[in-house]
Amino acid sequence: MRKPSLNNVKLRDKMLLIYFLCVLLPIVLTNVIFYNVTTINVKNQKMKDFSLAVEKARNELRDQIDTALGISAVLNTDYFLNESLERSYATDGEYVDAYHSDIIRTLNKYSPVYQSIRRITIYTDNPTVISGGYVNSITPQIESGSWFRAMEESIDPVVVRTGENGLNGYETNYSIVRTLNYPGNRNVWRKIVKIDIHADAIRQVFGTIGLDGDVFLIDGENTVQYSSRDDIGWLKREVAYSPAFVADDALLFEESYPIMNNNSGPWKIVLAVSEEKVLEEVRKSRGFVIYLAAANILVPSLIIIWVINSISARLVRLLRHMKKVKHGAFETVAYGDHRDEIGQLTSEFNRMTLQLGKLIDDVYVADIQKKDLELKRNQAQLHALQSQINPHFLFNALAAIRTRSMMKNEEETAKIIHNMAKIFRKSLQWGKDWVTVREEMDLVLCFLEIQKYRFGDKLDYRIEVDESAYECAIPKMMLQPLVENASIHGIEPLAREGLIEIRIERRHGSLFFSVKDNGVGMQPEEMARINGLLADRDDMGDNVGIKNIYYRLQMYYKEEADFEMTSTPGKGTLVRIRVPEHGGNA
């Protein structure tokens, strides 16, 4: 298995990899972990705080109810109070005296002392007692009340909730109700004490924790006795507590408180706080955490970018100059006097570049002379090739023969001689290496007319040239040798009718030439031999015309020209040439 390697990774990418793995990722992970740990710690602390708040409310509620229960117990064992309520009074005045001396004195000891006690009321069915003040008669209306029925159903003191219209609208009150049964009295009459607790005291108990969420005081029968939610209608009717009262994501805090109600379970306080409320403080600090993380990322990022640019930019500049050296431009790199490793490398590169430039300057003259000799040699070969087909005396002889043919009215012979004269006249133009496609095709057409005169109906030709290609410049006699090879080597040995097709197209900034014949073709061995001759620049061989075209294409167009020759025995030969449009001037 091949080991992972960073050798093929660019230096800039390596530095960025170090930045992401060693700076950015640790900073992001550290801040995320810090934020999550802080959130968990704050959440746990908040939950402890809410639990303590609910427990405190439970204790304060218990203190208030226990205070009222204690007062009711003391009143139950107060001999003078019970004796005053059991006594039969002969006159109203006698009751009034006993009321002021025993009852009021006893009850006034508690109301002013305990601020949570709103009122203490005693109910009795003693007919000699005058109803009013702290003592009221048990009337049918009283007996029909819910608190009275709850008291009769229990042998212990009960805690009841009643509602009435007050100064602030409809108010709910909490009362401790019990029967007074002093053991030493006859207990002929029913005596009931009802101790009312201030509604504000209850609201104050739950007011603090109610600011953080929804508070519910639930009795043993799952009835809501108090809530910070007025929308559930608990004030004017009995409402059973339901989990639907709280949100799905709410956190619940509960504290139970046993109350001495007969056949009833303990009461409990429920605080429902949304998780968003619990994490409110953390949410407030989220912006600070984000700003701190941004600063921790931005400052190292700027420093690392500065360092990366100091390294990468100079390396890229050095590499760019190295590529210029490859193409023959020996330029030195600026700022090569820096003292770090890249500066030393740049300094050595500049020294090497200067030495290479000097060395090339020393051998440049000799190289130019060598190239000049080679160019003259190629030109001499080209002129030698041209001299094979354009001797000057032939032109003069053909002109004389054409004149005599016209004098004897031999027009066909005169036309052919005229075409031959045109061919030799163009070949005599030594100083003109470039011609237009139109001029080249005029030469080719003259040659084809001569060949058709020679072969008769055995030879036919077809020419297709794009109109836009006629004025393009090409090397002189680039197509005529190909047409000559097609007629002599392809069509002449053929027993059937021969066809030469010439096509010239101009597209995508290039000229495309094709010369095709349906002649005898060539065997693969012959094609291999010709390709070998084209590869050998020193040996001209027998195929002078093809090698002449191939060498001139290489000389004029370098690597921009394409030359392709294919042949099939019995089917013919196809030559394709592609050259750029701008190769010279006609």
Side-chain angles (χ1 to χ4, degrees):
M1 182 177 179
R2 188 176 182 181
K3 294 182 179 180
S5 175
L6 296 177
N7 295 336
N8 296 325
V9 180
K10 292 183 178 180
L11 180 62
R12 184 182 185 90
D13 296 336
K14 291 179 182 177
M15 298 294 291
L16 290 176
L17 183 63
I18 294 174
Y19 166 69
F20 281 114
L21 295 181
C22 300
V23 178
L24 182 62
L25 186 60
I27 289 177
V28 173
L29 290 178
T30 300
N31 283 275
V32 171
I33 294 174
F34 171 75
Y35 180 77
N36 290 334
V37 171
T38 304
T39 301
I40 294 173
N41 292 337
V42 171
K43 181 178 179 180
N44 293 336
Q45 184 60 46
K46 278 288 186 179
M47 293 182 69
K48 291 180 181 178
D49 294 342
F50 287 132
S51 297
L52 291 176
V54 174
E55 183 179 358
K56 179 182 178 183
R58 189 273 311 269
N59 293 336
E60 291 180 356
L61 178 64
R62 181 180 60 187
D63 290 342
Q64 294 186 4
I65 294 179
D66 287 352
T67 297
L69 289 172
I71 293 174
S72 68
V74 172
L75 294 179
N76 185 52
T77 58
D78 192 298
Y79 170 79
F80 296 102
L81 176 62
N82 283 275
E83 195 277 331
S84 299
L85 296 174
E86 285 288 338
R87 188 188 312 166
S88 296
Y89 297 98
T91 62
D92 292 342
E94 183 181 354
Y95 167 73
V96 171
D97 292 337
Y99 176 79
H100 287 285
S101 61
D102 295 328
I103 299 176
I104 292 180
R105 184 183 63 185
T106 300
L107 299 181
N108 281 341
K109 290 190 298 182
Y110 302 105
S111 293
V113 176
Y114 299 99
Q115 297 180 356
S116 61
I117 303 302
R118 176 185 179 190
R119 181 174 57 200
I120 301 177
T121 306
I122 297 177
Y123 297 89
T124 181
D125 57 359
N126 187 345
T128 62
V129 172
I130 302 174
S131 180
Y134 290 104
V135 181
N136 291 315
S137 299
I138 298 176
T139 62
Q141 184 179 2
I142 296 298
E143 291 178 339
S144 63
S146 59
W147 64 269
F148 191 89
R149 294 196 305 272
M151 181 272 302
E152 286 187 328
E153 294 173 359
S154 175
I155 60 176
D156 296 318
V158 296
V159 179
V160 296
R161 176 173 64 90
T162 59
E164 62 181 11
N165 291 320
L167 296 177
N168 297 324
Y170 190 83
E171 295 181 352
T172 182
N173 298 313
Y174 297 89
S175 304
I176 306 298
V177 183
R178 71 174 297 164
T179 303
L180 298 178
N181 291 316
Y182 184 70
N185 285 345
R186 294 167 295 169
N187 294 322
V188 176
W189 312 109
R190 287 186 298 174
K191 302 177 294 297
I192 301 169
V193 60
K194 181 172 176 285
I195 303 175
D196 297 330
I197 301 175
H198 278 293
D200 291 339
I202 300 298
R203 283 194 294 269
Q204 187 175 1
V205 169
F206 298 110
T208 303
I209 62 174
L211 297 176
D212 297 315
D214 298 331
V215 182
F216 301 92
L217 176 62
I218 307 169
D219 63 14
E221 297 178 353
N222 201 43
T223 302
V224 178
Q225 296 294 339
Y226 176 85
S227 176
S228 59
R229 296 266 304 274
D230 296 336
D231 57 311
I232 61 177
W234 66 275
L235 286 168
K236 297 184 179 181
R237 59 184 177 87
E238 291 187 356
V239 176
Y241 173 76
S242 172
F245 292 162
V246 298
D248 295 335
D249 63 339
L251 302 176
L252 300 180
F253 304 89
E254 297 182 2
E255 285 290 339
S256 298
Y257 171 50
I259 295 181
M260 295 181 296
N261 283 31
N262 193 24
N263 300 325
S264 177
W267 289 26
K268 63 180 178 180
I269 300 174
V270 177
L271 172 61
V273 183
S274 66
E275 188 172 2
E276 185 68 24
K277 186 70 176 180
V278 175
L279 300 178
E280 183 178 3
E281 295 299 326
V282 180
R283 299 288 190 267
K284 291 180 180 178
S285 63
R286 178 164 39 185
F288 173 75
V289 173
I290 293 176
Y291 292 142
L292 182 62
N296 290 336
I297 293 175
L298 181 61
V299 174
S301 299
L302 294 177
I303 295 176
I304 289 177
I305 291 174
W306 179 42
V307 174
I308 289 177
N309 287 336
S310 173
I311 298 175
S312 178
R314 291 190 293 159
L315 286 177
V316 170
R317 183 169 61 245
L318 180 60
L319 179 60
R320 186 168 58 248
H321 279 74
M322 287 182 176
K323 291 181 178 179
K324 290 182 179 180
V325 170
K326 180 177 67 174
H327 296 290
F330 299 95
E331 299 179 3
T332 58
V333 184
Y335 308 106
D337 55 348
H338 295 159
R339 298 182 180 179
D340 62 352
E341 288 79 0
I342 300 177
Q344 295 177 14
L345 181 62
T346 304
S347 178
E348 293 299 323
F349 171 79
N350 289 340
R351 185 179 296 108
M352 180 190 69
T353 301
L354 293 175
Q355 291 177 354
L356 285 175
K358 182 179 180 181
L359 180 62
I360 290 176
D361 288 340
D362 292 341
V363 300
Y364 186 68
V365 175
D367 185 68
I368 290 179
Q369 292 175 350
K370 182 179 178 180
K371 293 293 184 182
D372 185 57
L373 291 175
E374 184 177 354
L375 181 61
K376 291 180 178 179
R377 177 188 175 189
N378 292 336
Q379 189 69 30
Q381 290 180 349
L382 178 60
H383 289 168
L385 290 171
Q386 291 177 339
S387 65
Q388 294 178 13
I389 60 174
N390 61 356
H392 190 71
F393 74 92
L394 286 179
F395 173 74
N396 295 328
L398 288 173
I401 295 172
R402 178 175 178 271
T403 302
R404 294 294 301 272
S405 297
M406 292 180 65
M407 292 175 62
K408 295 180 178 182
N409 295 324
E410 296 177 352
E411 296 182 359
E412 185 176 6
T413 302
K415 179 180 179 183
I416 296 304
I417 295 174
H418 174 69
N419 289 334
M420 292 183 65
K422 288 177 63 176
I423 292 175
F424 286 115
R425 184 183 298 111
K426 290 182 179 295
S427 65
L428 285 174
Q429 297 176 356
W430 287 84
K432 189 175 183 182
D433 292 335
W434 292 81
V435 295
T436 64
V437 173
R438 187 183 303 278
E439 292 173 333
E440 181 71 11
M441 290 309 299
D442 186 28
L443 180 65
V444 169
L445 189 60
C446 289
F447 179 81
L448 287 173
E449 288 294 329
I450 294 173
Q451 293 299 96
K452 190 169 179 61
Y453 174 79
R454 175 187 175 188
F455 292 111
D457 294 337
K458 183 179 179 180
L459 174 65
D460 195 5
Y461 58 87
R462 185 181 303 156
I463 299 176
E464 296 182 12
V465 182
D466 287 350
E467 289 295 331
S468 60
Y470 272 117
E471 302 306 321
C472 295
I474 60 174
K476 178 182 177 182
M477 296 185 71
M478 189 179 78
L479 297 180
Q480 189 273 338
L482 298 178
V483 177
E484 181 178 351
N485 285 341
S487 62
I488 295 176
H489 300 291
I491 304 300
E492 184 174 353
L494 193 66
R496 63 181 184 275
E497 181 180 352
L499 175 64
I500 298 177
E501 296 181 85
I502 303 173
R503 180 185 297 273
I504 303 177
E505 296 178 294
R506 179 188 182 190
R507 61 177 185 270
H508 306 304
S510 298
L511 294 174
F512 296 85
F513 305 87
S514 67
V515 178
K516 179 181 179 183
D517 66 76
N518 63 346
V520 295
M522 289 182 285
Q523 297 295 327
E525 296 79 7
E526 180 67 14
M527 280 299 305
R529 186 186 68 82
I530 294 177
N531 289 331
L533 290 175
L534 294 179
D536 187 1
R537 296 182 58 89
D538 295 328
D539 184 14
M540 294 299 293
D542 297 333
N543 301 85
V544 177
I546 295 178
K547 293 201 69 173
N548 183 23
I549 295 172
Y550 182 78
Y551 287 165
R552 285 192 294 140
L553 289 176
Q554 297 297 317
M555 184 171 58
Y556 292 138
Y557 297 104
K558 304 299 182 183
E559 302 297 330
E560 297 183 6
D562 296 330
F563 182 90
E564 180 185 5
M565 183 175 181
T566 59
S567 182
T568 303
K571 294 185 177 180
T573 303
L574 172 63
V575 178
R576 292 190 181 95
I577 299 175
R578 184 198 66 82
V579 296
E581 285 189 29
H582 303 288
N585 296 320

